[in-house]
Amino acid sequence: QGEGRVEVRGGYVTGSGLDDATLGAAAGYDFDLGSTAFAGAEIAGDKVLVDGADVQFSSGARLGAKVGAAGKAYVNGGYTFGQIDDPYVGAGYQHKLGQNIYAKAEYRHQFIENFDDFDTFAVGVGFAF
């Protein structure tokens, strides 16, 4: 058994001389690993809100623990592609606000070859089904 999800998110990215807002959307699916754990996959598109920046796409996975009846704490990792093609790792927390709506906060560290690394701090709201 599992749960699908779609979300919109916004945040702040810093690194390599860049300090700007981001806006994006993601879709994923989490698979139950018993009553206390889960594993999931996600695809996303995020845009740094600065002239000349393209949408940055990502594909990744997450592994985490269920926190009570409504929370999910997780670590994630994956790869971004588009203007910059490099791996990322991160961590986050997602909490249901009712039957199907959730809020989340997430941190990502992107390892950029030939530049300084990027750090992204984001919050989002989504729909689980």
Side-chain angles (χ1 to χ4, degrees):
Q1 181 164 346
E3 178 177 75
R5 58 189 166 77
V6 292
E7 68 188 48
V8 293
R9 59 190 182 194
Y12 180 77
V13 62
T14 183
S16 211
L18 178 70
D19 290 300
D20 267 296
T22 66
L23 188 60
Y29 192 87
D30 291 335
F31 299 91
D32 287 334
L33 301 177
S35 62
T36 60
F38 70 95
E42 178 179 273
I43 57 170
D46 294 281
K47 168 94 166 81
V48 176
L49 302 180
V50 63
D51 288 342
D54 293 337
V55 172
Q56 194 70 20
F57 295 97
S58 64
S59 176
R62 65 188 198 165
L63 179 64
K66 297 175 186 177
V67 180
K72 291 181 174 182
Y74 59 89
V75 294
N76 61 1
Y79 201 78
T80 61
F81 47 96
Q83 232 171 343
I84 299 172
D85 299 329
D86 286 294
Y88 69 87
V89 296
Y93 179 75
Q94 176 179 315
H95 195 88
K96 282 198 174 177
L97 303 174
Q99 179 81 15
N100 298 98
I101 305 297
Y102 67 85
K104 72 184 272 187
E106 185 176 286
Y107 164 77
R108 282 189 182 183
H109 182 84
Q110 189 172 350
F111 300 94
I112 309 296
E113 188 177 334
N114 302 323
F115 294 101
D116 292 337
D117 294 351
F118 286 110
D119 291 301
T120 303
F121 305 89
V123 294
V125 63
F127 180 79
F129 52 92

